[in-house]
Amino acid sequence: MSKHIEKLKKQLMDISEVVNSFKSEAVQVKVVDRLLDALMELEKTDGDGAEVFIKRGYKQRGGDEGNYAYARGPKKPGATKILNQLLSTDFFDTARSISSIANYCKDNFDSEFKTSELSGILLKLANEGKLRRERSNENNRFEYIRA
């Protein structure tokens, strides 16, 4: 183990000049973190290690060289797609606030959207005449209902 640490110390001394050339401490930390990760991967692959410099979080798709996909699994539908699906149901038959729409998406679609993500899409749907945007008398906020 001490042999490994001594080797790591030597490698760190070699790169210290480059790391110290960055003025921002946050940048220095990120550079060192990436280099240490790369060095550890290089140790595991016994020196070949061209794949070390592929970004973490990506994996190679079957067969296609240089074509990478997120390793996180299937992609969830976005806010636009979900809101269009809700338009095809009776969801907007009653007036809904942005926060109630966000809560509904979280509960029924397992998709957590900020109200700021939904507001622009809802405004667009209102401008297209698919929804009506009305101010609520209770709380002076906008509510959306089918046009």
Side-chain angles (χ1 to χ4, degrees), residues 1 4-5 16-17 20 43 46 52-53 60 71 98 102 110:
M1 184 69 175
H4 180 68
I5 291 174
S16 65
E17 186 177 326
N20 289 331
E43 289 284 321
D46 293 326
V52 169
F53 300 103
Q60 193 167 5
I98 295 179
D110 193 33

Side-chain angles (χ1 to χ4, degrees), residues 63-106:
D64 295 342
E65 286 190 31
N67 195 2
Y68 299 98
Y70 283 108
R72 296 184 189 151
K75 187 177 174 184
K76 290 183 183 178
T80 304
K81 186 170 186 173
I82 289 177
L83 288 175
N84 283 321
Q85 286 177 354
L86 290 176
L87 269 173
S88 65
T89 66
D90 61 350
F91 179 76
F92 284 108
D93 287 349
T94 59
R96 308 283 183 157
S97 67
I98 295 179
S99 60
S100 70
I101 296 168
N103 290 335
Y104 186 86
C105 291
K106 182 179 178 182

Side-chain angles (χ1 to χ4, degrees), residues 3 7 16 18-19 24 57 79 81 90 99 105 110 113-114 116 120 127 132-133 145:
K3 190 177 195 180
K7 184 177 179 184
S16 65
V18 174
V19 171
S24 168
K81 186 170 186 173
D90 61 350
S99 60
C105 291
D110 193 33
F113 298 117
K114 296 178 184 173
S116 60
N127 289 338
R132 249 186 9 251
R133 181 178 176 199
I145 191 166

Side-chain angles (χ1 to χ4, degrees), residues 5 30 50 62 75-76 88-89 96 108 122 124 127-128 130 133-134 137 146:
I5 291 174
K30 284 188 182 225
K75 187 177 174 184
K76 290 183 183 178
S88 65
T89 66
R96 308 283 183 157
N108 295 294
L122 289 166
K124 182 181 176 209
N127 289 338
E128 291 173 354
K130 296 178 181 178
R133 181 178 176 199
E134 301 172 346
N137 292 330
R146 188 178 312 280

